[in-house]
Amino acid sequence: MADNIKVAVFPGDGIGREIIPQAVAVLEVVGRKFGHQFNFKSGIVGGAAIDQFGEPLPEETLRLAEDADAVLLGAVGGPKWEGMDYAIRPERALLGLREKLGLFANLRPAILYPMMADASTLKREVIDGIDLMVVRELTGGIYFGKPRGIEKFGQEERGVNTLVYTTSEVERIARVAFEVARKRRKKLTSVDKANVLEVTELWRKVVISVHKDYPDVELSHMYVDNCAMQLIRNPKQFDVLVTTNMFGDILSDAAAMLTGSIGMLPSASMGGQTDKDPHGYVKGMYEPIHGSAPDIAGRDIANPLATILSAAMMLRYSFGLEKEACAIDDAVFNVLEEGYRTPDIFSEGTQKIGTKEMGDQVVARLKEWKVVGS
Ligand code: IPM
Ligand code: MG
């Protein structure tokens, strides 16, 4: 039994406030069922924090995240805060947490549930059986490179961002990707733009050198534009993709849509396996890959499954609770199998339900779950 697992819970903005309670309810029932004690502490981030404290990531929230064993995050941002200075935009909370907690490795699995094929905009034969993982570098690249900003430039202005990676930054994300691939189908595709950008020429060189330690994994390289095309043309060729912060941001949205809806894709952000605390926990942040969707917020129509599946990833990657994570994955599978759908994944012949009801359905399946051997 895992005791007193400290989870910082940051709903954030928009639909974040509706989907996070569903994931927390799921974790609570898992705790009761399997005998673990979760200690949830809520914090304010993003636009909500700007409104209340004048900054997206208040000191108190950051401290909560630092003290916790894992962070469960909803989404941040909305039209209300657009146009503000970049330094205090809601998105800064997300980037600040990633940076301050050193979460350089972002895992974004895209799996097509067979009964969901009709929800995708692509043909069934193209997407059937998709099971791929995007490993996105998360604390470097153009998101964090300096110099950055908008400056006066003669009569006009000039905007600057810098795409920069060091050998060690590439090496550590490559190692994570090879480790992930090793536990899967042992195929890694490194995505770069080495035909144009020197920094990704270095990226490719470093990935090739790390490959020497993983001869059992098959490595290939692909330019990002081709990769975008291949994801739509023949996504089944991929097992694990490893790429830079920005390419990973873009490609993971594309990968998400293959599975029917961006509302289905969870993510895990970690600092590497070396950061285990005395309990053996690995600090991580878990969040859906979608945004705060202000256009549908407050209407009980958002899909909570990406967040619920993120909670499963948390159990698996931070706490080593594989059985419990599988129980959540199975519960989600069963609810979909029975035909329940939020509007984003609705198709003819299925039953449309709201955010809360979807959470309740998953909780109900977990309550029925039999712990083998008890
Ligand atoms: C994501 C999001 C974020 C990102 C935004 C909200 C800052 O799009 O997690 O993919 O670009 O990383
Ligand atoms: Mg994104």
Side-chain angles (χ1 to χ4, degrees), residues 91 94 98 108 136 143 249:
E91 287 77 6
L94 208 48
R98 290 170 181 172
R108 301 187 158 189
R136 169 188 178 194
Y143 272 51
D249 179 44

Side-chain angles (χ1 to χ4, degrees), residues 141-142 145 161-165 197 199-200 244 247:
I142 201 165
N161 286 97
T162 304
L163 175 52
V164 53
Y165 274 111
L197 304 172
V199 40
T200 65
T244 63
F247 294 165

Side-chain angles (χ1 to χ4, degrees), residues 76 91 94-95 98 108 136 138 143 245 249 252-253 287 289:
V76 296
E91 287 77 6
L94 208 48
L95 301 173
R98 290 170 181 172
R108 301 187 158 189
R136 169 188 178 194
L138 204 61
Y143 272 51
N245 203 339
D249 179 44
S252 61
D253 269 26
E287 51 179 317
I289 82 152

Side-chain angles (χ1 to χ4, degrees), residues 33-61:
K33 199 86 197 181
F34 293 85
H36 308 300
Q37 201 191 337
F38 295 105
N39 180 355
F40 297 106
K41 288 221 164 68
S42 291
I44 302 174
V45 285
I50 296 175
D51 288 351
Q52 210 167 320
F53 304 103
E55 51 179 336
L57 182 58
E59 196 51 45
E60 196 186 317
T61 303

Side-chain angles (χ1 to χ4, degrees), residues 331-362:
V332 168
F333 186 93
N334 289 334
V335 168
L336 292 170
E337 183 69 16
E338 285 161 37
Y340 295 105
R341 302 282 191 277
T342 43
D344 58 313
I345 50 175
F346 175 76
S347 60
E348 218 35 57
T350 62
Q351 191 182 333
K352 202 182 279 183
I353 59 174
T355 311
K356 169 105 185 30
E357 167 88 37
M358 185 56 104
D360 290 348
Q361 288 290 348
V362 176

